[in-house]
Every structure is written in C-alpha cells, then in structure tokens.
Amino acid sequence: MVEVKVIAEIGCNHKGDMDIAKELIQVASKICGADVAKFQKRHNRELLTPEEYDTPHPVPENSYGPTYGAHREYLEFSVGQHKELQEECRLAGIDYSTSVWDLTSAQEIAALKPNLIKLPSATNQHFVLQEFLCKNYDGEIHVSTGMTTRDEIEKVIAFYEKHGRAKDLVVYACTSGYPVAFEDLCLMEINTLQEKYGDRVKSIGFSGHHLGIAADVAAMALGAAGYERYGKGKFEYIERHFTLDRTWKGTDHAASLEPDGLRRMCRDLHNVAKALEFKKSDLLDVEKVQRDKLKWREEKHGTNIRQVS
C-alpha cells in the first residue's frame, strides 16, 4: 500500500496563543489523524532588514502590531515554548516539526532534535543555514521549491549531495501563493521532481496552499504512479496549512483547512492509498464470489441458448 504522511502546517495560525497552539496539535492528531504538526520559527531582526521590520504590514487587517516586525514578534514562540509544543506533540501521538527561516532559528530547533526540519521556499537558497543543518542535525531535511527556478532547484540538490546529506533530503513540489488557484498548482511537477531527482534524494512531497482537498488526492495518485513509472522518487509527504477557523485574523487562515477538512483529507488519502494497487491475481477473492453467481459460462448456460432464426 502507498504510505503518505500528512503534515498539518500550523505555522503561525495559533495567533501567538499557546493554548490555541496546543489545541491545534490535539485536534490534528486525535480528530484529523495527521502524522506531523509543524510550526514556524523566526528571528525577525535577523530575517528582516530594518526597513522591512519597521514598515507597516501590507494588509493592516491581518496585522498583530503597528509594524511588520512587531506583527511577526507577536506571533513568535520562544525556544522554551517550542520545547513545550514538542512535548505536547509527544503526548498527543504526533510528530513535532518546525520550519526555520534563519540561521539562529535553525540552530535553536536543531537542538530540540525533531525527526524532521523544514526549509520553506523562501529560504531554500540560504546555504549558510542549510550547511549548518547538514553538519549539525541528523534528521530529515525537507525543502519546498515554490518561487524557485529549475536551476535553483538543481543547485539545492547538488548542495546536499556535496555535503553527503541528499539521502536525508525530501523535496516538495509547491506553488507559493495564498491561496493558489487550481490552474497554478501544476501537480505534474511532482513527476518532474521524481524523474529528475528521484534517485538523488530520499523522497518527494507536495506542499499545497489551495482550497479543498481534491488536489491532494490527485497529488498522491500522481506520486504513486510516478514512482511506479520511474522506479525512483518515492512519494512520502503531503503538507497542508491547518487552522481552527478560516475566518480568523491572519494571512494563512484563508489557505488553510479547518478540522473537518483535514480529517476528510486524511481519510480520503488513507482510503485511496489502499486502492493504488495492481491486481495480485487474475481474479480477486471478492470477484470469485460474484463470478460464481453472475458470470456467463458456456458449460453452465450453453444448453439454454435459444436459437434465433
């Protein structure tokens, strides 16, 4: 059976509230059946230029502060809080992970030793950050390829090969947008990544910022078919943004799934994964029963044929 893990990208949808963050973990695990709860970590003075930090948020109604920097600080959890979230995940039976946006964040989260750390599309050309992870972190490194040229993707793969970590690398097909229109999802890029890099990296994933759950099932089917076709590039992860309420204040909520949506997506992925198989024999056991009842056979029905003149 195809095995795909679902990452519930909580990100900053907790609105800076630890109680909401913990509720999101519990719901993602217990109600939805996700495999990973993922957050984000930023050191905003390091990540942003002074001008970016002091500029008002471009969408004021989504801002939690008078400037973009203040907005980002309001949503930021400390390392101690991330350790608390990691423990909450352990108790809930779901993996903890975080996307890291700068070197300091990478150093802090690597010290927690999660099973996987994510590089968002925005930082996949930050090779000082990635070199630190290659040398100081033993888990899986996941990298999204949104807003990234084909030459830049090749540069990423070659970098991990150079550092002997390509077999710990999971590369995601992704279109950066919030939300992304269906015509811009470009799901066939999953197969492109499998064909070009499937034998060079650990596996392939899909990170979606679209509406609904139909495209995620299609992504898994494409990934399974691509792996069968190319004999490489196992498809292992689907990541979706997750919130308790899509109408909440914030940039990512509108492109996120609410609990029932994530629950149904996990259910559908699990069920369709069981269907993505070749027949193991000419007749399955379920067919043999129906064949005995329904199948026309000459030895059984031949004597009852009415001659037509």
Side-chain angles (χ1 to χ4, degrees):
M1 186 179 83
V2 177
E3 295 182 3
V4 174
K5 294 181 180 179
V6 173
I7 299 176
E9 163 64 291
I10 294 168
C12 298
N13 283 348
H14 48 69
K15 304 194 293 182
D17 187 317
M18 280 292 286
D19 289 337
I20 293 176
K22 291 180 178 181
E23 184 179 0
L24 282 159
I25 289 170
Q26 292 291 336
V27 172
S29 176
K30 304 298 186 183
I31 295 177
C32 303
D35 301 284
V36 182
K38 187 168 74 66
F39 295 88
Q40 296 180 10
K41 189 78 179 79
R42 294 171 170 88
H43 271 260
N44 295 298
R45 287 292 185 185
E46 179 178 337
L47 178 64
L48 302 171
T49 67
E51 182 181 5
E52 289 171 333
Y53 194 98
D54 294 331
T55 297
H57 193 292
V59 185
E61 59 267 29
N62 282 331
S63 184
Y64 286 89
T67 66
Y68 185 70
H71 160 78
R72 291 254 54 105
E73 301 290 9
Y74 184 93
L75 297 173
E76 197 62 44
F77 287 149
S78 68
V79 179
Q81 288 174 307
H82 273 274
K83 190 171 183 178
E84 190 176 338
L85 293 173
Q86 186 179 37
E87 176 63 11
E88 186 75 18
C89 287
R90 187 189 68 80
L91 295 173
I94 189 171
D95 260 357
Y96 159 89
S97 184
T98 297
S99 292
V100 294
W101 287 68
D102 53 79
L103 179 58
T104 301
S105 295
Q107 293 168 338
E108 292 174 340
I109 297 303
L112 299 180
K113 298 182 179 180
N115 290 327
L116 66 95
I117 289 177
K118 181 84 182 293
L119 270 293
S121 298
T123 56
N124 66 23
Q125 299 297 293
H126 190 335
F127 292 109
V128 173
L129 185 166
Q130 292 174 89
E131 183 175 19
F132 172 83
L133 291 178
C134 285
K135 293 180 176 179
N136 298 280
Y137 171 68
D138 294 331
E140 290 182 357
I141 303 173
H142 294 211
V143 179
S144 271
T145 60
M147 51 184 166
T148 307
T149 68
R150 297 191 187 281
D151 287 345
E152 288 172 337
I153 295 172
E154 173 60 39
K155 187 177 179 182
V156 169
I157 307 303
F159 175 87
Y160 282 90
E161 289 175 327
K162 175 184 175 183
H163 286 82
R165 296 299 305 277
K167 292 305 180 181
D168 297 316
L169 179 64
V170 179
V171 183
Y172 286 71
C174 177
T175 299
S176 297
Y178 305 90
V180 175
F182 285 103
E183 58 267 28
D184 291 329
L185 282 178
C186 304
L187 295 181
M188 300 301 288
E189 289 300 310
I190 293 169
N191 293 155
T192 299
L193 292 175
Q194 289 175 308
E195 183 180 13
K196 293 186 68 174
Y197 305 117
D199 57 350
R200 298 169 63 184
V201 302
K202 182 180 186 293
S203 60
I204 305 300
F206 169 65
S207 179
H209 308 133
H210 51 283
L211 302 179
I213 60 176
D216 304 281
V217 175
M220 182 181 67
L222 279 169
Y227 183 55
E228 184 67 31
R229 177 181 179 184
Y230 304 118
K232 58 184 181 180
K234 184 177 181 182
F235 186 79
E236 276 197 302
Y237 289 93
I238 287 180
E239 176 186 76
R240 289 297 306 274
H241 282 261
F242 177 53
T243 184
L244 298 178
D245 188 338
R246 293 181 65 247
T247 68
W248 275 352
K249 175 178 166 180
T251 305
D252 291 344
H253 296 287
S256 301
L257 292 175
E258 292 179 336
D260 190 56
L262 185 63
R263 178 192 64 81
R264 288 186 291 112
M265 189 190 81
C266 291
R267 176 203 65 193
D268 289 354
L269 289 172
H270 177 74
N271 289 337
V272 173
K274 293 189 288 187
L276 293 172
E277 297 282 352
F278 292 101
K279 278 191 172 183
K280 295 179 176 62
S281 59
D282 285 349
L283 296 174
L284 300 177
D285 290 343
V286 67
E287 291 182 300
K288 292 175 183 177
V289 175
Q290 303 306 319
R291 179 183 174 89
D292 290 342
K293 290 193 299 183
L294 303 174
K295 191 78 170 183
W296 187 94
R297 299 192 302 275
E298 185 176 1
E299 65 272 19
K300 178 179 178 181
H301 299 92
T303 57
N304 295 324
I305 297 176
R306 181 172 63 87
Q307 297 296 323
V308 178
S309 58

